Amino acid sequence: MDDIDRIMVRLGIKQTKDIEVFFAVTAIGPTLAAAGYFGGLGWLFWIGAAFCAFNLFMNVASGAMKFPLIPGIFMFAFAMNWTPWFLGVAAGLALYTALEAVSEIPALLKA
């Protein structure tokens, strides 16, 4: 049993449909945030950022992530370099969530 299988068993994931739902929930936030940012639609960007924040909250609340150090580093780094700072926090969180979604692709393809 490889690492992905052990993680899936630990999380109680038994069906391919579950993995697809997890991937969709993870991927929708950064997708909306990027579309809103590059499309000049602020409201769409903030909806995407809210999905990313919800995803991070669920990761921490479920125990999948013990301490959000890496997302915090992303958010802090972007906040220091973007004006206004809260736009940087949202963009950093969206980038982290996009990388998390990319990391879920092998489990999605394996299922």
Side-chain angles (χ1 to χ4, degrees):
M1 185 180 291
D2 64 353
D3 291 339
I4 293 174
D5 290 333
R6 278 190 292 246
I7 291 169
M8 290 169 42
V9 168
R10 185 173 173 221
L11 293 174
I13 302 170
K14 297 176 182 132
Q15 299 176 353
T16 305
K17 187 187 289 187
D18 292 339
I19 297 168
E20 293 168 355
V21 169
F22 288 148
F23 177 74
V25 168
T26 304
I28 195 166
T31 302
L32 292 176
Y37 182 78
F38 292 113
L41 302 170
W43 59 271
L44 189 59
F45 171 79
W46 288 110
I47 290 173
F51 273 103
C52 293
F54 176 74
N55 183 50
L56 179 61
F57 171 77
M58 292 305 294
N59 283 342
V60 173
S62 70
M65 181 183 295
K66 298 293 182 201
F67 184 72
L69 178 65
I70 296 174
I73 291 170
F74 272 78
M75 291 184 285
F76 180 77
F78 274 69
M80 292 292 104
N81 293 306
W82 284 34
T83 304
W85 64 269
F86 51 86
L87 181 64
V89 169
L93 181 57
L95 178 61
Y96 171 78
T97 309
L99 293 174
E100 183 181 357
V102 168
S103 73
E104 291 177 0
I105 291 174
L108 184 66
L109 295 175
K110 187 175 182 175

